[in-house]
Amino acid sequence: MTENHTKSNKATPRNNNSGKGSKARRPANPRKLVLALLKNIMREQQTLDEALSKHQADFESMERRDRAFTRLLISTLMRRLGQIDKAINACMKRKLPSKMADVRDIIRLGAVQLLYLDTPPHAAVSTSLDLANGPRISGNKPLMNAVLRRLSREGHDMISAMDESYDNLPRWLWNKWVSTYGEETARKIALSHLAEAPLDLTVKENPADWAEKLEGTVTSGNSIRLPAGTGDPVFLEGYADGDWWVQDFAASLPALLLGPVSGKRVGDICAAPGGKTAELITAGASVTAVDSSAKRLKRVHENLERLQLKAEVITADATNWQPEEKFDALLLDAPCSATGTLRKHPELGRIKRPEDIEALAELQAELLNNCAEMLNPGGTLVYATCSLEPEEGHLQIENFLAKNQGKFERVPVQGNELGEAEWLSSLLTENGDLRCLPCHRHDEGGMDGFYACRLRKVA
């Protein structure tokens, strides 16, 4: 079960034929596909997985090695785009106009290979220029060649003189995180996004055994971690048998805030892709998974079948839907800006805007208000987002509690509820809420940014 923190339709291609595709289709050119993906992301504001689903046939036509190279190219480009663009600008007398976006993208493609992937200069330049086809672009080959040749000579010195934490973040995000967390922590968060994240799995049982089988380590509880670069999890032992699912360690924590759920009727609201649903089922809960998207819930059905788990799955708008029978406990994993997941989805920093957070905060408030009516008196409501923004975290809860005085109360979380390791208590705020940052446990690969608060319905 693959994570999808942005709650969008991320149909990750899954082809076990090693990328051979049909006999009639020639394998796609990885660099050409990256240019198309870059356009989808930067000009059409699509996530990488949304863009990949648009080009699924081309992606699946490739050998596994070329698919991995495609992902490496686009993810490194997104992580380092600020520095790459700054270096490109330093090589030109004036910035390229917006109408020459395709030209800039080709230069970017060559630059990321030269500066970060150790591609030989001749190969990086020639393969990039080969993509400059068509009357609007081919005439700019001399310019592209000159910029890339200069980057091959001077680019590494340019990069080494830059501030990689500051230069690779959009200014609005940098300013916001400095204001919220202070500059030192903001810098640590930004740096945590520059390396490929490890692969976290939640196993049904025997985490130590699975960590040994898959050459990983136990993080805590049933979560294990495999090294960055492990590759497509569908090829790992245990995937086909449904012994585990992909879930970042931080994403596994909010469900723990519900406490013992065995025998309880639990609602998982905004449930897709279903990792928390699976977690609750394996803990003994009777789960109703609700999401507004039938497409996303199709993926939930498929994965529950693979995992051999059962849940009631309902397509409904949770801002107004109500169950026939109220829940004992509720987990609301609300749609959010997902700014806590840039280590896995670096493109989100380029497609999110401040106004998105405002709109999402309004939606979250609607969901919280309606979820309040789904609970039995005395029931537990856990609100969670994979966002670093206070409007989607503690400020949302403060507004909710102010409007529901006497109806709900905050129930502070204790460190031992998250697991036995002492360091887990450092993930709790003064109010007893969960606040994970991408830089937490950085030396061990970090974790996604997450916020979660536990509430009790008093009446």
Side-chain angles (χ1 to χ4, degrees):
M1 185 171 297
T2 303
E3 293 173 276
N4 176 355
H5 291 306
T6 57
K7 303 291 183 182
S8 59
N9 178 30
K10 295 184 175 180
T12 305
R14 298 194 176 279
N15 183 0
N16 292 352
N17 66 359
S18 300
K20 294 181 180 179
S22 64
K23 294 181 180 180
R25 174 178 280 276
R26 294 180 60 186
N29 180 327
R31 293 174 175 84
K32 186 176 181 180
L33 178 55
V34 168
L35 280 183
L37 296 173
L38 188 57
K39 181 177 181 179
N40 294 146
I41 292 168
M42 300 299 292
R43 264 100 82 194
E44 299 173 21
Q45 304 295 290
Q46 294 180 354
T47 67
L48 174 57
D49 285 331
E50 288 170 340
L52 278 171
S53 69
K54 190 174 182 178
H55 302 280
Q56 184 167 342
D58 283 338
F59 189 70
E60 291 187 344
S61 73
M62 299 177 184
E63 297 291 335
R64 284 175 61 183
R65 179 186 63 183
D66 285 341
R67 284 186 291 185
F69 180 60
T70 298
R71 283 191 174 274
L72 177 65
L73 267 180
I74 190 64
S75 62
T76 306
L77 184 51
M78 288 292 98
R79 286 190 174 94
R80 298 285 184 170
L81 188 61
Q83 287 180 286
I84 289 170
D85 279 353
K86 191 173 183 178
I88 292 172
N89 291 341
C91 295
M92 297 187 294
K93 293 181 178 180
R94 62 181 66 88
K95 292 177 65 175
L96 289 172
S98 58
K99 64 181 180 181
M100 295 179 67
D102 291 339
V103 173
R104 173 171 283 275
D105 285 348
I106 291 174
I107 298 175
R108 285 168 165 168
L109 179 62
V112 70
Q113 296 174 80
L114 288 168
L115 301 177
Y116 294 106
L117 300 182
D118 296 325
T119 304
H122 172 74
V125 175
S126 63
T127 55
S128 298
L129 295 181
D130 286 345
L131 300 173
N133 301 314
R136 291 191 307 109
I137 302 177
S138 58
N140 292 288
K141 280 188 176 183
L143 169 65
M144 290 184 268
N145 182 62
V147 172
L148 290 174
R149 291 295 179 187
R150 183 174 173 187
L151 286 176
S152 70
R153 298 189 305 269
E154 305 173 27
H156 286 99
D157 289 337
M158 294 179 184
I159 292 296
S160 64
M162 296 180 191
D163 183 340
E164 61 181 357
S165 60
Y166 176 83
D167 285 326
N168 287 305
L169 267 186
R171 290 289 76 79
W172 74 271
L173 262 183
W174 170 265
N175 293 335
K176 204 164 188 302
W177 291 350
V178 168
S179 176
T180 302
Y181 301 104
E183 182 173 344
E184 181 181 357
T185 299
R187 191 172 294 279
K188 290 179 180 178
I189 292 171
L191 289 174
S192 71
H193 298 152
L194 298 181
E196 182 182 358
L199 178 66
D200 288 353
L201 310 177
T202 300
V203 300
K204 289 180 178 177
E205 56 187 4
N206 302 323
D209 291 346
W210 277 109
E212 183 177 358
K213 287 179 184 179
L214 299 177
E215 299 183 355
T217 58
V218 177
T219 307
S220 180
N222 280 3
S223 184
I224 67 173
R225 172 161 291 183
L226 309 187
T230 294
D232 194 333
V234 302
F235 298 110
L236 297 177
E237 180 182 355
Y239 175 85
D241 293 331
D243 292 312
W244 49 259
W245 61 94
V246 176
Q247 182 172 243
D248 189 84
F249 173 66
S252 72
L253 296 177
L256 300 180
L257 274 57
L258 291 174
V261 294
S262 182
K264 291 185 178 180
R265 177 171 155 74
V266 180
D268 185 6
I269 309 302
C270 306
K276 296 176 183 64
T277 295
E279 190 176 354
L280 291 167
I281 296 170
T282 56
S286 174
V287 180
T288 298
V290 181
D291 201 280
S292 61
S293 170
K295 275 188 175 181
R296 294 194 295 265
L297 285 177
K298 181 181 178 182
R299 185 70 174 276
V300 174
H301 280 292
E302 292 170 350
N303 282 291
L304 288 178
E305 182 177 356
R306 176 178 66 83
L307 295 169
Q308 302 173 52
L309 300 174
K310 292 184 179 181
E312 180 184 26
V313 181
I314 295 175
T315 305
D317 180 354
T319 62
N320 54 45
W321 175 82
Q322 286 290 318
E324 294 182 3
E325 179 184 350
K326 293 187 183 297
F327 295 110
D328 301 315
L330 203 63
L331 175 59
L332 170 57
D333 185 12
C336 67
S337 61
T339 53
T341 70
L342 266 61
R343 56 201 280 274
K344 291 197 180 81
H345 307 290
E347 76 279 6
L348 294 180
R350 300 295 166 181
I351 66 179
K352 296 296 182 181
R353 300 289 183 267
E355 54 268 28
D356 295 330
I357 294 172
E358 183 178 344
L360 285 162
E362 292 179 2
L363 173 60
Q364 291 152 10
E366 289 183 48
L367 288 165
L368 261 173
N369 290 331
N370 194 53
C371 285
E373 303 301 320
M374 299 181 190
L375 271 178
N376 285 316
T380 300
L381 168 59
V382 170
Y383 168 83
T385 61
C386 54
S387 168
L388 297 177
E389 315 317 313
E391 299 92 331
E392 302 179 276
H394 72 272
L395 294 182
Q396 187 70 253
I397 294 300
E398 289 175 14
N399 291 335
F400 176 78
L401 289 174
K403 294 176 181 177
N404 291 272
Q405 291 184 12
K407 298 179 181 179
F408 277 84
E409 63 182 5
R410 179 189 254 119
V411 183
V413 181
Q414 304 300 316
N416 59 8
E417 295 182 75
L418 302 178
E420 296 180 358
E422 292 185 5
W423 68 266
L424 291 167
S425 61
S426 68
L427 305 180
L428 300 177
T429 70
E430 292 181 358
N431 289 326
D433 298 342
L434 176 71
R435 166 47 79 197
C436 303
L437 298 177
C439 55
H440 283 148
R441 310 295 285 184
H442 175 71
D443 292 344
E444 298 174 16
M447 63 183 72
D448 283 349
F450 245 93
Y451 172 83
C453 179
R454 178 168 61 193
L455 304 170
R456 178 186 293 122
K457 187 171 185 176
V458 178

